[in-house]
Amino acid sequence: MSIRIEFDGQPLDGRDGQSIGGILLSNGRRTWRTAGGSQRGIFCGIGICQDCVVTVNGVEGVRACQRTACDGDRVEREVRA
Amino acid sequence: MSVRRIVVIGAGPAGLAAAASAARAGADVVIVDEGERVGGQFWRHHPALTDQRLQHQLGRFRELESALGGVRVLSSASVWRVESGAPLRVHALTGPVDGAERRAETLEADAVVLATGAHDRVLPVPGWTLPGVTSAGAVQALAKRDGVSLGARTVVAGAGPFLLPVAQSVAVLGGEVAEVVEAASIGAILRGWGARAWELTAAAGKAGELGSYVASLMKTRTPYRFGSAVTRIHGDSSVEAVTVQRIDADWRPVAGTERTVECDAVALGHGFTPRLEAAIQFGCDITPERFVRTDEQQLTTVPGVFAAGEITGIGGADAALAEGEIAGLSAAGIRASDPLLRAPVAARRRMRAFAARLATHAIRPGWTGWLDDDTIVCRCEAATKAAIAEYSAASSRGMRLATRAGLGACQGRTCGRSVEDILGAPSGIDRRPVLSSVRIGELAAHRPTHPLIEEES
């Protein structure tokens, strides 16, 4: 079954049960955060490194590799110094 | 005697075995795990998304899962604080990962089994913050949980047998493995794994699993380089190539041996580091090798607190299963002389002989030779090798405050051990007052039935 999330206003399709990180990666997005002046995305994949955090439905600091995506989730990039 | 209340933290092989055996022995068991499904990293899966070729020992998993009938399973639960004493206390938050309105719960127990596992140790290398570079575990987790691969052509590099299933995952999902790069030399591997080979016949299941990975690599004609490391990752906006270089027995790069390998993804894994936070917060004694000290019954130095699996020494799933079973039975009050313990104690002995071989791939101090001064070591705070080295004479606290190394979102989980290698001394970075990310609002809403320990407030 397919679900659709919104990433910075763009619709992205994923499979039901995938993590937000999994949907971003399978749509060719490798990075969705800026840290220390460089682009970051998934690094550890198991919830340890915090490099993949996004804002989900207005809540900041959600690990994209750990959060199972729900149909209609609104996902936004985060920028840190 | 009243029924023993047992809380098991972690639902990987060790935790599942502990919960199942404690329940079988008549205890009242709760298993707490941060995942949505039990299985831990080894049996990480999604019923609809996981390719079955990536799963091992599924029979054992189903068996343990079905033995959880009388066990309360608390999934999607982050343990953020534990307290020693009688009763022992485990504070958890349950709900969508990193959500704003998770449910708080405090579990009280006569015994706790810590089975918190381990995560990849990844050594920094120039360019490792580029998009497309991940830990080896990430490749495995994304393949199993999401059915997703990271790149078309991947270099898998680091040390130890875990590189094999990672390479297999890439191939199963249709990617190409450009090379597998192993730091241990072929000579060291033959000496380490070949000596007293009869000890390994008892671990035949493990050998068979390794054999299947080797066969899969041979089928795809994947080059396997020994005594080598990825010493630089190249690219502008994402990975384009790596430098593979020979390293000596101490893992120092050998000048003049550089080769360039084109790729669009790099998976790095230099072994595993145990997740010790809960054990440290309970006050358990930690060995100089940074594992939880346990006795023959898997009991730690803290009354009622047992430990099993990778936090007592990196040994793989079979060792974790045996230790978990011993810990669960012992926590439930089964005596050491009971015949129930014979089989798991024998299995633990066999698997330790296997686990001892992993020392062949242990990180050697020369690796810091492949860092540039401006290589980022702490990814969260972009703290460089030069900045950390500059404070090598300062106190651990002074160094951290000056450089911010280890003070970012991951709290030194990714960089802590590397920082220690650069400083040449322990940094105390894995003593964390809060065990997992908690929102201020969640903390503010916390109504302890028992006051939190005052000394840390």
Side-chain angles (χ1 to χ4, degrees):
Chain A
M1 219 177 75
S2 171
I3 60 170
R4 178 169 285 186
I5 65 170
E6 197 180 273
F7 176 63
D8 281 347
Q10 301 284 313
L12 297 181
D13 290 327
R15 292 153 77 191
D16 193 17
Q18 282 185 314
S19 65
I20 287 172
I23 292 180
L24 290 172
L25 285 170
S26 53
N27 280 276
R29 314 269 176 149
R30 279 188 158 188
T31 65
W32 46 83
R33 197 168 82 84
T34 308
S38 57
Q39 294 293 306
R40 301 287 180 81
I42 293 263
F43 177 67
C44 82
I46 62 166
I48 303 293
C49 77
Q50 313 272 335
D51 241 349
C52 69
V53 292
V54 285
T55 295
V56 179
N57 303 324
V59 177
E60 291 180 14
V62 176
R63 289 165 291 170
C65 75
Q66 296 296 288
R67 174 67 80 91
T68 297
C70 295
D71 197 37
D73 273 346
R74 283 173 294 105
V75 181
E76 296 161 88
R77 290 177 63 95
E78 289 188 4
V79 179
R80 282 185 201 171
Chain B
M1 198 174 96
S2 59
V3 173
R4 301 265 297 164
R5 296 169 302 167
I6 298 175
V7 172
V8 178
I9 305 179
L16 288 176
S21 63
R24 200 172 67 222
D28 174 11
V29 183
V30 183
I31 185 164
V32 189
D33 187 62
E34 59 188 5
E36 289 176 7
R37 289 169 291 280
V38 298
Q41 303 303 337
F42 185 69
W43 285 312
R44 179 182 279 269
H45 67 287
H46 185 282
L49 301 172
T50 310
D51 189 308
Q52 291 305 303
R53 286 171 289 174
L54 300 179
Q55 296 289 10
H56 295 276
Q57 301 193 40
L58 269 189
R60 190 76 195 268
F61 177 60
R62 301 281 176 236
E63 205 179 289
L64 287 170
E65 222 185 357
S66 63
L68 297 179
V71 173
R72 182 176 173 220
V73 180
L74 207 52
S75 292
S76 298
S78 294
V79 172
W80 63 275
R81 186 168 185 88
V82 294
E83 293 173 66
S84 58
L88 299 155
R89 287 193 175 82
V90 174
H91 301 277
L93 287 161
T94 312
V97 173
D98 301 327
E101 290 167 341
R102 294 181 293 177
R103 190 170 55 84
E105 183 166 2
T106 297
L107 302 162
E108 298 194 337
D110 303 308
V112 169
V113 178
L114 298 171
T116 47
H119 61 80
D120 291 89
R121 172 89 194 269
V122 180
L123 298 178
V125 50
W128 74 314
T129 57
L130 279 169
V133 183
T134 66
S135 74
V139 169
Q140 192 76 333
L142 286 163
K144 286 185 178 182
R145 187 209 187 288
D146 289 290
V148 168
S149 66
L150 283 152
R153 190 172 145 85
T154 304
V155 169
V156 178
F162 181 57
L163 301 181
L164 291 158
V166 170
Q168 185 213 23
S169 301
V170 173
V172 162
L173 290 184
E176 180 191 355
V177 179
E179 283 192 14
V180 179
V181 184
E182 160 67 56
S185 71
I186 188 74
I189 287 171
L190 291 175
R191 281 192 303 277
W193 288 87
R196 298 191 306 283
W198 64 87
E199 288 180 359
L200 295 178
T201 55
K206 209 71 204 162
E209 190 185 317
L210 286 175
S212 77
Y213 299 139
V214 173
S216 141
L217 284 173
M218 286 172 72
K219 207 167 94 186
T220 50
R221 297 176 187 278
T222 305
Y224 210 102
R225 312 289 182 194
F226 296 95
S228 302
V230 165
T231 54
R232 185 168 289 272
I233 301 171
H234 310 273
D236 195 8
S237 57
S238 74
V239 179
E240 290 163 19
V242 298
T243 296
V244 176
Q245 198 168 353
R246 306 274 312 166
I247 54 174
D248 68 14
D250 265 339
W251 292 25
R252 268 186 298 265
V254 178
T257 63
E258 297 89 341
R259 285 185 301 117
T260 302
V261 178
E262 288 183 11
C263 58
D264 64 349
V266 184
L268 298 173
H270 301 86
F272 295 93
T273 189
R275 301 182 69 173
L276 295 176
E277 300 97 321
I280 290 174
Q281 192 163 87
F282 265 129
C284 301
D285 192 22
I286 307 295
T287 67
E289 295 78 32
R290 309 299 292 162
F291 292 107
V292 182
R293 190 185 301 285
T294 58
D295 70 6
E296 284 298 295
Q297 269 57 59
Q298 301 297 135
L299 180 65
T300 70
T301 52
V302 173
V305 179
F306 295 78
E310 305 291 65
I311 56 170
T312 72
I314 303 301
D318 294 279
L321 285 164
E323 289 189 6
E325 191 173 348
I326 296 166
L329 290 171
S330 303
I334 301 295
R335 289 174 183 279
S337 56
D338 195 289
L340 270 179
L341 280 158
R342 266 186 220 144
V345 165
R348 181 178 63 186
R349 191 170 49 240
R350 286 196 301 274
M351 290 320 301
R352 281 183 179 169
F354 176 84
R357 300 317 202 267
L358 294 171
T360 306
H361 307 269
I363 293 169
R364 307 287 307 156
W367 73 268
T368 54
W370 70 58
L371 298 176
D372 291 336
D373 278 352
D374 62 357
T375 306
I376 287 172
V377 175
C378 165
R379 298 170 63 95
C380 297
E381 295 293 328
T384 63
K385 184 237 177 185
I388 292 162
E390 189 188 336
Y391 288 90
S392 59
S395 67
S396 163
R397 185 182 159 80
M399 180 281 296
R400 282 184 277 169
L401 288 174
T403 66
R404 292 209 46 82
L407 297 182
C410 92
Q411 290 287 289
R413 286 171 172 85
T414 312
C415 71
R417 294 287 155 85
S418 299
V419 167
E420 290 178 341
D421 280 2
I422 290 165
L423 297 175
S427 65
I429 223 160
D430 48 13
R431 179 177 292 277
R432 300 179 181 100
V434 179
L435 304 180
S436 58
S437 303
V438 181
R439 294 182 187 280
I440 292 289
E442 290 170 326
L443 271 185
H446 181 63
R447 296 278 178 273
T449 50
H450 187 79
L452 296 180
I453 297 164
E454 293 300 327
E455 67 203 19
E456 286 179 14
S457 62

